[in-house]
Amino acid sequence: MEQAPAHIVHEPHPEGGGVREIWKVTIILTVLTLIELALGFSMIGMTNVTTKHFIKGVILILMMAKAFYIVGYFMHLKHEVRNLIMTIVVPLILFVWFIIAFLSDGNSYNNLRNRYNPEYKERTSQQAPPREEPKPSPEKQ
């Protein structure tokens, strides 16, 4: 009897291997979410700005870890070829970079406009006058 080539031979998964992996992913994502929630609630009433920014940074890192974990397991990219993963990850990174760049550019434009055109800043910071209610027209009878 001839032996099948190595690339065709499939080893069977141990019993419940898929279920164990699902439970593992669920537990990891739950723990990360609970840590994020605990950090978020710990910021309530906090006055130290540096500590708040540090905690927000930690929460962002945990969120990114969860996002990559979700993409890896639920979009089945963990077991894919590197080239396929790169065709998804590189455009995603560019998309995030574009969003950050456009938000930064818009904020810079607004700040420069306020600095070099004081009338614009004054006009945008004034309260609008209260709107007058239209007078009811006499009804024809």
Side-chain angles (χ1 to χ4, degrees), residues 4-100:
H7 67 277
I8 295 178
V9 176
H10 297 288
E11 294 182 21
H13 292 294
E15 286 295 318
V19 174
R20 269 194 221 130
E21 190 173 33
I22 291 171
W23 277 108
K24 177 184 165 191
V25 170
T26 303
I27 290 171
I28 289 173
L29 291 175
T30 303
V31 168
L32 287 175
T33 302
L34 291 174
I35 292 171
E36 288 174 2
L37 285 171
L39 288 172
F41 283 125
S42 72
M43 288 189 336
I44 296 175
M46 189 178 287
T47 57
N48 189 351
V49 177
T50 307
T51 308
K52 267 185 151 177
H53 287 311
F54 175 75
I55 291 175
K56 287 179 183 179
V58 171
I59 290 173
L60 284 173
I61 291 170
L62 291 173
M63 285 173 34
M64 291 302 292
K66 274 187 359 182
F68 283 117
Y69 214 79
I70 288 169
V71 167
Y73 278 97
F74 296 114
M75 291 179 67
H76 308 287
L77 288 182
K78 183 177 183 246
H79 307 290
E80 291 294 338
V81 211
R82 181 174 172 88
N83 289 337
L84 178 63
I85 293 172
M86 288 301 132
T87 60
I88 295 172
V89 171
V90 172
L92 178 67
I93 291 171
L94 287 173
F95 182 70
V96 170
W97 178 75
F98 284 143
I99 290 174
I100 292 170

Side-chain angles (χ1 to χ4, degrees), residues 136-141:
S137 60
E139 294 183 31
K140 298 181 180 178
Q141 292 181 351

